[in-house]
Amino acid sequence: MNELLRVEGLRTQFKTKKGMITAIDKVDFTIHSGEILGIVGESGCGKSVTSLSILSLLPENGIVSDGKIIMDDVDLLTLKEEQMCEIRGNKIAMIFQDPLTSLNPTMSIGKQMMEPFMIHQGYDKNTAREKALEMLRNVGIPSPEKRMNEYPHNLSGGMRQRVMIAMALSCNPKLLIADEPTTALDVSIQAQILELMHQLRNNMGTAIMLITHDMGVIAEMADNVLIMYAGRGVEYAKAEDVFKNPKHPYTKGLLESVPRLDKDVEELNTIEGTVPNQYNMPEGCSFHPRCKMTTEECRKSKPEQYKSDNTYVSCFLYK
């Protein structure tokens, strides 16, 4: 597969009243054409900030202070806002966790669906309407002609998410970033949305960057996995290797906390403590206060990324 997007040494910081805080610290990964990369971690680990950094959609107090984001041999961090507007929705599209807050409540579904075709493709209203109807059919929206005249609040959560996916795919993007796309949906609708994303990858060759905290979704969907903790990538490998032979203590903890279907009764393990506050990060490895395998070196120094088998892991156990 061809390399589509490469992130090198990404560091994202935010200006606050208490000074600069680092939300993303030296994150590296690559996405190839047609690949599904799963990014996993607890809330506050930097998953969503990573995606917003790629699209230059950080709030005003956020800056990418170091690193490169390469697509088509161009570093996206060097582009001006006008140039990034050509990238967003055209080459890279994004669907957000809550479609109700992402869609404009004052505009009909039809108007919102037609906008990408008119802005990026230069279509007139009639052609844009036909294209919008076609996209709604492609994502399984029933009675698309009727839905075009409705507003976001008229639709169910699953339908709103399908509309978001249809809008994101309007211009045939090379990469779709999906930030917790099934979190607010019930289980049956989750399965439909995940199946739809599988079809997009298989039928259109769309690469997907899937952000989630659900290891079950990762097992079903992802080709490769990046495990994030406290703004750093702690393990990066093929999905099969992560589940069969997890390396980092944090990855092992995540997997041990997932209930298994082959057991009637089991005691679930938990990872004690919480993700550290960015204002008060521990010295050394950020995971050491919660890790059962902590050494003195972990308390004093941050581990580099080491290679063990086919896995890249930030842990002194593999030094």
Side-chain angles (χ1 to χ4, degrees):
M1 293 187 290
N2 296 325
E3 180 181 287
L4 178 61
L5 183 83
R6 184 172 77 254
V7 174
E8 297 179 359
L10 180 66
R11 173 175 286 164
T12 301
Q13 297 178 298
F14 289 91
K15 299 176 184 177
T16 71
K17 292 179 180 179
K18 296 181 180 180
M20 294 291 289
I21 62 167
T22 301
I24 304 296
D25 189 15
K26 296 182 179 179
V27 167
D28 302 275
F29 61 85
T30 303
I31 302 177
H32 297 86
S33 299
E35 173 191 336
I36 298 179
L37 172 69
I39 299 185
V40 192
E42 296 169 270
S43 297
C45 284
K47 307 184 299 297
S48 296
V49 174
T50 299
S51 65
L52 295 176
S53 299
I54 292 172
L55 287 169
S56 295
L57 289 176
L58 293 167
E60 289 185 1
N61 66 328
I63 58 167
V64 176
S65 57
D66 199 7
K68 296 180 180 180
I69 301 172
I70 308 296
M71 187 175 194
D72 294 335
D73 296 323
V74 175
D75 185 353
L76 302 186
L77 298 177
T78 65
L79 300 182
K80 297 179 180 179
E81 176 60 21
E82 300 79 28
Q83 294 171 304
M84 278 305 301
C85 285
E86 291 296 318
I87 300 290
R88 297 189 205 108
N90 214 10
K91 290 185 177 182
I92 307 176
M94 184 168 180
I95 56 176
F96 295 90
Q97 181 173 346
D98 184 2
L100 185 58
T101 57
S102 302
L103 293 168
N104 189 330
T106 67
M107 289 177 63
S108 68
I109 297 300
K111 282 188 177 180
Q112 296 185 66
M113 283 294 305
M114 291 162 60
E115 268 192 348
F117 293 109
M118 297 173 71
I119 293 174
H120 290 295
Q121 306 293 329
Y123 291 142
D124 58 44
K125 284 188 176 181
N126 291 332
T127 307
R129 181 176 176 80
E130 290 304 314
K131 290 287 185 180
L133 284 168
E134 181 183 345
M135 288 304 303
L136 290 178
R137 293 188 190 100
N138 289 344
V139 297
I141 295 283
S143 306
E145 293 84 357
K146 176 185 176 184
R147 304 302 177 194
M148 289 279 283
N149 298 318
E150 293 183 335
Y151 289 80
H153 69 271
N154 298 128
L155 306 184
S156 66
M159 280 234 242
R160 287 195 292 264
Q161 196 62 284
R162 287 174 185 268
V163 169
M164 285 295 299
I165 294 174
M167 289 177 64
L169 296 173
S170 296
C171 300
N172 295 320
K174 296 179 180 180
L175 174 63
L176 175 65
I177 300 176
D179 188 359
E180 302 272 12
T182 61
T183 297
L185 307 177
D186 62 52
V187 176
S188 60
I189 302 300
Q190 281 187 31
Q192 293 175 20
I193 296 298
L194 293 177
E195 176 58 28
L196 173 60
M197 294 174 70
H198 252 312
Q199 293 173 7
L200 295 173
R201 192 271 292 270
N202 295 336
N203 298 337
M204 301 174 63
T206 306
I208 300 173
M209 180 174 144
L210 178 59
I211 298 170
T212 183
H213 61 269
D214 190 331
M215 296 300 287
V217 170
I218 291 297
E220 180 181 347
M221 297 288 293
D223 300 305
N224 295 309
V225 182
L226 173 67
I227 307 290
M228 291 191 68
Y229 184 79
R232 302 194 82 194
V234 296
E235 186 162 348
Y236 180 41
K238 291 183 178 179
E240 182 181 3
D241 294 332
V242 167
F243 283 93
K244 284 187 176 180
N245 186 23
K247 302 287 187 182
H248 198 279
Y250 180 60
T251 308
K252 294 177 181 178
L254 289 177
L255 291 173
E256 288 172 356
S257 66
V258 177
R260 296 181 54 170
L261 296 177
D262 58 349
K263 291 186 178 182
D264 295 330
V265 180
E266 64 175 316
E267 182 179 346
L268 292 179
N269 294 312
T270 59
I271 306 174
E272 294 183 3
T274 60
V275 179
N277 189 311
Q278 297 290 348
Y279 290 105
N280 189 26
M281 292 290 287
E283 188 178 352
C285 174
S286 55
F287 187 60
H288 85 73
R290 307 174 70 187
C291 183
K292 297 177 182 179
M293 307 181 76
T294 297
T295 65
E296 193 60 31
E297 187 175 21
C298 303
R299 297 186 182 95
K300 293 181 177 180
S301 306
K302 285 187 178 182
E304 297 296 324
Q305 195 173 68
Y306 308 106
K307 188 172 183 181
S308 175
D309 300 326
N310 294 316
T311 299
Y312 292 92
V313 56
S314 297
C315 180
F316 288 121
L317 294 173
Y318 305 93
K319 187 176 180 181

